[in-house]
Amino acid sequence: MKNVLVTSGLCLSVLLLSACNSDDKDVSSLTTQTTLVGGDSHCWMGGTRTDSGLDSNDNGKLDGNEVVDSSYACNTDLFTDKAVHLPFTVLRNDLDNGAMPGTKFEIRNGGYGSDAAPNPNNPIQFYALTDRGPNADYTGSLGKGKMFPTPDYTPRIGLFELQTNGTITKVKDILFKRPDGSLITGLPNSSSLGGTGEIPYDAAGEVIRQDMSQPYNAQTNPIKLDDYGLDSEGLAAMDDGSFWVSDEYGPHIVHYSAEGVEIARINPFADDKRNLYSLPAEFAHRRANRGMEGLTITPDQSTLVGIMQSTISNPDKSVNNNTLTRIVTINLATGAIGQYLYQQEIAQNSNSAIVAISNSQFLVLERDGKFFNIDTDVMKHVYKIDISGATDLETVTAQADIAQDAALGLTLKGKTLEQVALSDGWEALATNGIIPATKSLVLDMAAKTQYPHDKMEGLWLIDNKRLGVLNDDDFATWSNNNTLEQKYLDSAQSDIDGNTLYIVDDLSLSADK
């Protein structure tokens, strides 16, 4: 335990009945104790506050205006600057481990690392998001795709709570459901809603099809897709208990009730009758597995803000080796769209989370995909960015060589912004008045912790100095040469990757004035 003592120079004898001479009247001194819950500004993990003062009104109790001294006995913080594992269950453990022939491996749930968000009603609880479920690259009879060893898995949100003993417990799961209440899957969407032709296979390498008891036939027994399926990646927890979730399939941004039932949807497909609003059409050029990786809500709860993981294929894959990525803002009351550019440090990096600290300033998680045990020159950064001085692409008017293309967005001399940045550099954009968000580094996780995970993806903004960082463990599942295996963090294959929370203190996370 640690103690913080706040004192005052008034006449007082703590814990004893005594008197101060005031108009010849004895005034009793009193103390009271209050249990503090986690999240208290003095005792983050809870504790006890002892208040002392003089019973001036002689009512036998210590009123708030009579307190002159407060001392705090705080529970020990067992989380800051430590790696704490989240609990998991085993989905299946009957598959051969390609990394260790003759053994089996565990597919874990786990998987709560695609994003994180605070519980607005409890400061020591956080929500954590899964993606589409256990999957791995696989090439089968119909070509390249993904192996889904648990094809009926439903993407979900877990609610987790910090405990004073230094552990984390899961409070509940919220599974995503269609508007009719039925569970969704993580299987790909059809091409009209953003599907990129990923072929789903099961653990036996069979094409996942409508009727698994019958052979595949493109007409009579086709591939099983799910137009409500999500590869969920970004999470915003609303004050009313509902959630907005962004994904990598559409990209889709879906509003779910507190119970996980779909309420509304936003995507770049104008013909989708489920849409509340539509994103600009260029967002449909997202790359496979690199969609809208981050999502947040502004502090006033008015505006969703999403960030694309990497450069979109706009107009095609020739521009992918690029540092240009896009941020979109959506006013929930009006549907008004804003769009801004973010410049990555290294081409092909991943923007894996965005968190609002004001209506124009955000934290952005930018990372590579390296493991520290293989290459210590890794990038796992958190930046503070500001869009207040950046160009809103949606407000740029057509003139001379500048045009707004219905399918490609803003263009310069007929080139997309991705093409301009790749061929002519960011200077060419600036010359035409197109300025990205400003950014400054606030956290280097590799330097701070020798961060061992490849996928640093979730940010939990706790307060203006504490930040929770969460990894995506891929359900502890990996693939190598078309074979599933356990996902390890070390060359000795003894340390299985798992969801791990790191809380970093003493950061500058407030919005700049």
Side-chain angles (χ1 to χ4, degrees), residues 11 36 99 138 165 200 220 236 258 264 272 299 352 358 375 378 380 383 385 387 404 411 428 455 464 471 507:
C11 177
L36 304 176
Y138 185 78
N165 65 0
T220 62
D272 190 349
S352 287
S358 77
D375 184 351
V378 300
K380 316 292 182 188
Y383 293 93
I385 75 163
I387 63 172
Q404 292 280 3
T411 60
K455 294 183 178 180
N464 61 10
N471 70 301
L507 300 175

Side-chain angles (χ1 to χ4, degrees), residues 424-432:
D424 305 319
W426 284 85
E427 297 81 3
L429 295 173
T431 299
N432 286 276

Side-chain angles (χ1 to χ4, degrees), residues 367-412:
R367 65 166 178 87
D368 57 23
K370 298 177 182 178
F371 290 93
F372 189 85
N373 76 304
I374 297 174
D375 184 351
T376 57
D377 185 25
V378 300
M379 182 178 288
K380 316 292 182 188
H381 286 178
V382 179
Y383 293 93
K384 184 185 293 184
I385 75 163
D386 193 332
I387 63 172
S388 61
T391 305
D392 182 352
L393 305 181
E394 297 297 311
T395 65
V396 177
T397 57
Q399 53 180 305
D401 295 328
I402 299 177
Q404 292 280 3
D405 186 281
L408 303 176
L410 191 67
T411 60
L412 300 178

Side-chain angles (χ1 to χ4, degrees), residues 3-42:
N3 295 285
V4 180
L5 184 63
V6 181
T7 62
S8 176
L10 297 180
C11 177
L12 177 68
S13 178
V14 180
L15 299 176
L16 297 174
L17 287 178
S18 61
C20 289
N21 193 332
S22 176
D23 297 329
D24 299 323
K25 176 183 178 182
D26 288 343
V27 181
S28 298
S29 99
L30 300 174
T31 63
T32 61
Q33 286 193 331
T34 303
T35 299
L36 304 176
V37 299
D40 181 81
S41 60
H42 291 94

